Each structure stands twice: as structure tokens, then as C-alpha cells.
Amino acid sequence: MRIKNAKVYQADGTFAETDIVTEGEFIKSDAAADGEIVDAYDLIALPGLVDIRVRQVADTVYDDAGNYAVDKVARFEAGNGVTSFVGTVELPAAHAKKVAKTVADWNANEAARHDDCAAVLGLSLERPLEHIEDAKPSPESWKDLAYDDADTFDDLQSVGDGVFKVVDVDATREGMDTYVGLVSKKATVGVVDNGATFAQTEKAVKAGATVVSRRWDERIVLDEKKPGMMDAALKNDQVLVELVAREDNGSKEDIVANFALLQGRIVLVAEDGNLFDAMRRAIEMGVPANVAVDAATSGPARALKMGDKVGSLEDGRYADIVLVDSSYHIKHVINRGKMIL
């Protein structure tokens, strides 16, 4: 396939009018484009979006039998410009095992993965902090709810064949750095926005955490005299910031200011709705398009350490391409080299 006349998003954050050539599932600029020619005049070509936090989408992520509906979620995501995603699990360990096995089996079964399904990169393990407080579990059931021990994590990973790619931690918990040190060798560790101090966050980062979380409408103010969680995170160039978008938006000025402060270090996720809508809303609020696009493509790919496969339109990456108009409304989606929309 050869895509012509589009303004193509480049790895350096610029847009250039150039052709995109694909061969099979990959972008390959020197390939002989003998197949379909796509005239993308007046359109913008973006990398397929990468979502590391797919929560409730397509009404529900579970079917009537209580099984994780991988097919349904993957189709929904691809149809909305997200061509690679990580599903979120915030359940007791017994249920998380069931979801992990479902995703692992689905990924292993090529016949089950249709052209219009986004790639399921894995699962994100979110600690059910509110659930634990509400349920007030007995000591016997606590271990099933608490994810912050390495044995529980390893058990989940073994059931799902290493499917957990992101793990959340609460840096305020005593001894969390030991858990981070062990888990960060096998997954991306994110620090939840749970009132952690500068010292607690720094300890988690030194142990191996590489992502911290913040609502996109909560203005980040760095303070050398009274440093806090974000001061500790931004002190380390390798740490990315997960900005969590909400449908009610909040203060436009605060959102734009956060994107400006964190440019090049953002992993955009959507608490409600879908990632593409969150990216477009950011642009409509005044965030430069290249900054918002990076936050929804390259940033998440880097967080997952998969930047050599997804998140950009460079040679050798999967041919995941979203063609949009000047208002960033989706016109076409190319998933692994095949036009699906």
C-alpha cells in the first residue's frame, strides 16, 4: 500500500507531506508499492494510538458469562483509532487470573484475531485501593485483594504468560520499594497519585518506577522549597507522566499548562471515553497538535518499552495509521497494513 499526499506526523514532532509505503504488516519505505494506492489529499496521517489504560469501553468489557470480551474491546478500540492497547484489571487476584488467561489465549490464537481488531499488548494491574477500603476484607481474604507482593504478581504473570505490562503501586505504603524493585524487572511500574511525598516518590523511582500519574486538570506546580511528588518525578529524565483525561475536562488553562510543562514526557490516558477523543479535546483546548499526538502515540509506546514496534510511522514499525481531517476527526484506520475503516 502507498499512502500519498498526506501530511505525515514525523518522529521529531513535525508534519511533512511525504508518502507512506507498507509491506504486509509493516512500514517499509523502500518496498515496491504494487498494491493499493490511497490518495490522502488534505488529510493528516498519524500513528495508530497506543492506550495503556483501556477501562470500560463498548458498554462493558465483559460478556454475559463474565468473561473478558477481548474481541469486542479490540474492535471498539481499532474503530476509534487505537490500534494497540493494554486492558486494565482492577479486580481480586482470582478474577485477574481469569482475565489474564483469556487475553493470553486470545493472543496465542491467530484465527481469533481479525483484521479489524486492535493489538492487545497486555494488561495493566491497578491496585483496588478504594475496593479494599470499602470491602474491609478479613485477614484471610486480604492477600487475594492486595497486589503488592511479588509472589502474587509472579503467580498472575505465570497464568497469563507474562501478559501484565503495567503495574500500579502506592508509594505511601511501607516497604513498597522492595516490591517495585522486583516487579520493575518484568513490567512498567506506575506510581498512583495518592498523596505520596517527595521522599516516597523518589524512593519508588530509584527502585524502578518509571511512570507517575496525575489528573490532566490538576495544575502541576513545582516547588523547590516544598518539593512534592511531581518534583521527585521530573527530577529523573526517564520518568514519564501519565495525564488522566476526564470527560468533564476541568480548567482548560490548567490542562494546557500541564501539557506545556510536560511536553515530550506525557502518556495520555482517558478515565472516561476513549483515548482518541481525549487527544482531540486536548487539541481543541489549545494544546499544540504535535504535543497531543506524541502523548497518545510515542509517549505510551515508550512507557511500555515498545517504541521500536508501535507509536510512530518510522520504518520497521507496524503499519498502524490513522488518517484524520484538519479537525482531527477520523476518516480512515489502517491496522497492521489493512484498511479497516
Side-chain angles (χ1 to χ4, degrees):
M1 179 186 294
R2 182 183 292 273
I3 302 171
K4 301 175 64 68
N5 300 319
K7 292 180 180 176
V8 180
Y9 181 75
Q10 307 292 302
D12 63 0
T14 61
F15 293 86
E17 190 170 309
T18 183
D19 290 358
I20 303 174
V21 182
T22 71
E23 184 176 81
E25 294 186 336
F26 300 94
I27 295 172
K28 193 173 180 183
S29 60
D30 61 353
D34 299 327
E36 182 179 3
I37 302 294
V38 178
D39 186 356
Y41 176 75
D42 219 22
L43 297 179
I44 301 166
L46 308 177
L49 272 58
V50 182
D51 194 341
I52 72 169
R53 301 278 188 188
V54 170
R55 293 183 172 91
Q56 297 291 333
V57 296
D59 298 325
T60 178
V61 297
Y62 298 98
D63 62 20
D64 293 339
N67 298 310
Y68 188 77
V70 187
D71 223 51
K72 186 177 182 181
V73 177
R75 282 197 174 96
F76 179 90
E77 291 299 307
N80 285 277
V82 176
T83 52
S84 303
F85 73 93
V86 174
T88 294
V89 179
E90 42 186 2
L91 303 161
H95 202 153
K97 285 182 185 180
K98 184 177 179 180
V99 176
K101 189 173 188 315
T102 300
V103 171
D105 289 348
W106 190 82
N107 275 334
N109 183 2
E110 290 189 19
R113 303 196 307 273
H114 304 290
D115 293 340
D116 60 349
C117 289
V120 187
L121 302 178
L123 291 171
S124 166
L125 187 63
E126 295 191 353
R127 289 192 68 251
L129 300 172
E130 296 84 1
H131 300 276
I132 289 175
E133 292 171 3
D134 293 344
K136 294 183 173 58
S138 65
E140 294 76 30
S141 63
W142 179 267
K143 182 175 173 58
D144 190 47
L145 280 166
Y147 293 142
D148 55 347
D149 69 83
D151 289 342
T152 298
F153 176 76
D154 286 342
D155 190 26
L156 289 168
Q157 282 290 57
S158 65
V159 170
D161 196 24
V163 74
F164 287 98
K165 304 301 182 186
V166 182
V167 179
D168 280 351
V169 298
D170 177 0
T172 67
R173 287 178 67 90
E174 190 69 31
M176 182 59 70
D177 54 312
T178 301
Y179 174 69
V180 172
L182 294 168
V183 173
S184 62
K185 296 178 174 66
K186 304 166 187 176
T188 296
V189 176
V191 178
V192 298
D193 188 2
N194 200 41
T197 64
F198 177 93
Q200 289 167 335
T201 306
E202 186 176 50
K203 197 172 185 180
V205 169
K206 286 181 177 178
T210 53
V211 178
V212 298
S213 180
R214 185 69 169 241
R215 278 180 47 173
W216 75 343
D217 58 341
E218 291 183 355
R219 177 76 71 102
I220 297 170
V221 179
L222 303 179
D223 189 341
E224 291 184 2
K225 294 182 179 178
K226 293 182 64 177
M229 176 182 179
M230 296 307 300
D231 296 271
L234 297 182
K235 181 180 171 184
N236 188 315
D237 292 339
Q238 302 305 309
V239 175
L240 302 174
V241 179
E242 185 181 69
L243 283 186
V244 183
R246 299 165 58 88
E247 283 193 335
D248 60 6
N249 281 344
S251 165
K252 180 175 76 173
E253 291 74 19
D254 289 342
I255 293 168
V256 172
N258 283 341
F259 272 89
L261 175 67
L262 302 171
Q263 182 173 343
R265 301 180 67 166
I266 304 169
V267 178
L268 183 61
V269 300
E271 182 172 274
D272 325 285
N274 64 72
L275 180 60
F276 193 93
D277 286 347
M279 181 190 74
R280 187 176 65 241
R281 281 188 287 129
I283 294 170
E284 290 170 349
M285 282 186 278
V287 174
N290 63 318
V291 177
V293 171
D294 181 82
T297 57
S298 178
R302 293 197 306 274
L304 295 171
K305 301 177 179 64
M306 293 184 179
D308 59 334
K309 295 179 176 65
V310 296
S312 83
L313 298 176
E314 295 180 274
D315 266 18
R317 274 59 172 185
Y318 281 113
D320 297 332
I321 305 159
V322 183
L323 297 175
V324 301
D325 62 18
S326 58
S327 297
Y328 283 79
H329 291 98
I330 296 174
K331 295 301 178 182
H332 299 288
V333 175
I334 297 159
N335 187 43
R336 295 297 198 263
K338 295 183 179 180
M339 183 85 72
I340 64 166
L341 181 67

